[in-house]
Amino acid sequence: MFPSSRKARLFSGVAVGALLAAGGVTALAVVSSSPGVESAPNAHHPACGDLAKRYPSKLLGADRSEAGAPGVAVWGDSAVVLRCGLTPPRPTTDPCFVVNGVDWVLEQGKSKSGKKVLVTYGRNPAVEVTVADASPSAGDSLVDLGDAVKRIPQKSRCV
């Protein structure tokens, strides 16, 4: 686990940015518009409601906008989309890494056409985050979401 200091958060963001860059991530895309984002199957889970109360108002410099669907949060012009209420992923060979105390899986099967999808591992319900416009700070979105996502208890680890 990372200590919750600014220095540790900064290191986590830089490490994830480097990991994404090393993995050949050159562009992260997302759903075309927030109104078209569907809720996850278990979006009404109480943990998702608790998580929604803790969404940051800004992410990667973009303001959070109204998503209009339960368990969904959108920042900027769909630069970052979060969906809470997914079934947790099973053990996988997809890349997995820890950011700010949260295990994330880069779901390669869903990450087509430039779209990159990350899902929490070992938490039920799972949280899915799709990020657009890769940059050295792309991993910061996972760092900034970590404190909210940690509210969903972790039952297993991928790394």
Side-chain angles (χ1 to χ4, degrees), residues 44-83:
H44 293 288
H45 190 287
C48 293
D50 187 44
L51 176 65
K53 296 174 191 172
R54 291 171 174 72
Y55 294 149
S57 60
K58 283 189 171 270
L59 206 53
L60 299 180
D63 291 327
R64 188 176 74 233
S65 58
E66 183 60 41
V72 176
V74 178
W75 289 265
D77 187 23
S78 296
V80 178
V81 175
L82 177 149
R83 295 190 322 138

Side-chain angles (χ1 to χ4, degrees), residues 11 36 76 97 104 108-109 112 116 119-120 125 139 143 151 155:
F11 174 76
F97 46 92
W104 295 93
Q108 294 177 324
K112 295 181 180 179
K116 298 298 176 197
V119 178
T120 57
V143 171
R151 299 288 207 163
K155 308 273 189 206

Side-chain angles (χ1 to χ4, degrees), residues 7-109:
K7 190 175 186 179
R9 289 180 60 172
L10 177 62
F11 174 76
S12 296
V14 170
V16 169
L19 176 66
L20 292 174
V25 176
T26 57
L28 295 171
V30 74
V31 188
S32 61
S33 65
S34 56
V37 178
E38 293 182 21
S39 294
N42 299 313
H44 293 288
H45 190 287
C48 293
D50 187 44
L51 176 65
K53 296 174 191 172
R54 291 171 174 72
Y55 294 149
S57 60
K58 283 189 171 270
L59 206 53
L60 299 180
D63 291 327
R64 188 176 74 233
S65 58
E66 183 60 41
V72 176
V74 178
W75 289 265
D77 187 23
S78 296
V80 178
V81 175
L82 177 149
R83 295 190 322 138
C84 181
L86 282 83
T87 300
R90 297 169 93 51
T92 179
T93 58
D94 285 343
C96 183
F97 46 92
V98 179
V99 179
N100 200 22
V102 177
D103 289 21
W104 295 93
V105 173
L106 174 61
E107 290 197 332
Q108 294 177 324

